Amino acid sequence: MILELIANLYKPSDRHQSAIKLAEYLNGRDFIIFIKDPVIDVYLPGPGFTQTLYGGSTWDSFLNSAAKTQYSGKLAYPDKYNLMDAIGYPGPDESIIVLLGTSVLHPELDQLNKIMPLIVALLKQEQASIAVKSLAVTAEKETKKAEKLAYQLDIMGQNLRKTLMQQQKDKAEINDLMKKKDEFMNIASHELKTPVTSMKAYLQMISQKLLPSLKDKQLSSFIEKSNKQIDKLAVLINDLLDVSKIQAGEMTYQFRKFNFSALVKDAVDEALNSTSEHKITVHCTLPPDFEVTGDRIRLEQVLNNILSNAIKYSPSSDEIIVNVGLVNNYVEVSITDFGIGISGEQLPQVFDRFFKVQNEDKRFFGLGLGLFISSEIIKAHHGEIGVDSCLGEGSKFWFKIPAK
Ligand code: ADP
């Protein structure tokens, strides 16, 4: 009889019922073979036996003892409220046989023990195939996830490519527009230069010949004003032409030795000509005959620009200070005003092409080119140019060029 009951354990689908019948034959309630899970290294009921067990820690200590030797104790079964006698003993190949509902081993259990190696091998094989199946299921799930991710990545890649292509197109369009603007500026400034030069010449002639004898005060002031406006226009056109040259890499320089203090004096005199409201104080520590090598006209252009800015952007302050000296083999010039100043966030851009500080005040005339041209000229002299400024307090523009 017991052999038939044991034989029934081979069928995994009926194993639970067969185990209970076997247990009843052995005067117990249930019969479970535990095998060690190779992955987590824990004893688990073999496939097909009762799987849900209550009171985990009591089961753990029971199984730990029964793994070594025959052991009797009480276990929660079939639920956590019921404690039941149980007996367990080690089986072959790291297995444990547990009989619930009795603490006495039935003599016929010997029959079972003889074929236990076969049963345990079968259980292990089943356990392995379950593990393989669950691995296959997990692998399939992960593959699906990976496929989904790959698809999302592909869409992201496509979008990124589209954005990049659009950006490249935009960049090309901007470059094209900038090129057209440069071309237009170049043509416009060349076309304007000739008429403005002749207008200037005519006005100068009128000033020289007519002004001294002119009685009409209003007419004289018109001629003077026109003269000043023409000068401004000429500066603008020259700036535009210079920028075109810089962009085309065609700016040329005539490097010669010249007296630096004389250059500063000329620039200051010219600046004073354009204002009656400002006074310019010069502190020059250079020896009177000190010479540097550079393009005098271009360096004067830098000084003119910084000085005219100092005047232009100081509508309510009259003081401008120019410092000139020799520091570490560099001739250093600084021009300080106490005018409107520049905010910290706009400061880094003042030397950019076409940059004008954004403010409400529209009375400041200019294209935002002077400082860009100045910085290019100083670069060509292997020097440095910079500015320190505080909004509402004034600015100090400085540059330095090698003394030799
Ligand atoms: P612009 O012809 O417009 O004066 P610049 O290139 O000479 O062009 O100067 C660029 C901008 O820097 C100006 O538009 C102005 O906003 C600011 N800036 C230049 N110099 C001064 C200064 N001394 N004080 C305040 N702002 C200045």
Side-chain angles (χ1 to χ4, degrees), residues 68-228:
K68 291 177 208 131
T69 176
Q70 184 178 316
Y71 183 74
S72 317
K74 297 238 182 233
L75 288 170
Y77 186 89
D79 51 45
K80 59 182 169 186
Y81 307 107
N82 200 27
L83 277 180
M84 181 176 279
D85 282 333
I87 185 158
Y89 61 93
D93 199 8
E94 291 197 294
S95 63
I96 302 170
I97 295 122
V98 176
L99 191 59
L100 286 142
T102 177
S103 54
V104 183
L105 288 183
H106 195 283
E108 281 189 64
L109 259 178
D110 267 357
Q111 308 273 8
L112 173 74
N113 293 342
K114 279 186 200 138
I115 52 166
M116 263 309 277
L118 272 177
I119 297 178
V120 169
L122 176 78
L123 293 178
K124 287 209 164 174
Q125 203 187 343
E126 282 176 24
Q127 186 193 47
S129 86
I130 289 169
V132 167
K133 256 187 222 153
S134 91
L135 261 180
V137 170
T138 321
E140 202 187 321
K141 272 189 201 157
E142 293 303 320
T143 314
K144 281 207 176 116
K145 261 195 221 162
E147 274 169 5
K148 214 169 147 189
L149 267 175
Y151 175 72
Q152 282 169 347
L153 266 174
D154 192 43
I155 291 197
M156 268 166 71
Q158 280 176 23
N159 287 342
L160 206 69
R161 270 195 296 280
K162 265 191 215 155
T163 318
L164 275 174
M165 268 159 67
Q166 187 58 41
Q167 272 178 359
Q168 272 165 359
K169 216 174 123 196
D170 289 352
K171 218 171 146 191
E173 270 170 24
I174 290 172
N175 281 346
D176 203 39
L177 281 174
M178 290 293 272
K179 234 190 201 162
K180 284 194 178 130
K181 191 196 68 189
D182 286 346
E183 274 165 24
F184 170 76
M185 263 170 42
N186 195 10
I187 295 167
S189 41
H190 270 104
E191 293 298 320
L192 282 170
K193 188 161 168 90
T194 321
V196 168
T197 316
S198 27
M199 269 162 70
K200 170 95 188 140
Y202 289 134
L203 266 173
Q204 259 170 358
M205 253 160 56
I206 292 172
S207 312
Q208 278 162 13
K209 299 212 164 144
L210 284 184
L211 268 186
S213 53
L214 210 61
K215 298 251 158 32
D216 187 335
K217 285 259 172 337
Q218 208 182 17
L219 197 59
S220 321
S221 99
F222 282 163
I223 294 172
E224 263 170 30
K225 275 186 188 153
S226 305
N227 243 327
K228 280 197 175 148

Side-chain angles (χ1 to χ4, degrees), residues 25 79 87 109 123 136 226 236 256 258 289 317 347 356:
Y25 183 82
D79 51 45
I87 185 158
L109 259 178
L123 293 178
S226 305
L236 273 188
R256 289 207 181 90
F258 66 89
D289 54 353
S317 136
L347 216 48
K356 280 175 73 73

Side-chain angles (χ1 to χ4, degrees), residues 383-398:
E384 269 179 57
I385 189 165
V387 55
D388 308 312
S389 188
C390 199
L391 194 63
E393 288 181 22
S395 313
K396 178 177 171 181
F397 279 84
W398 57 265

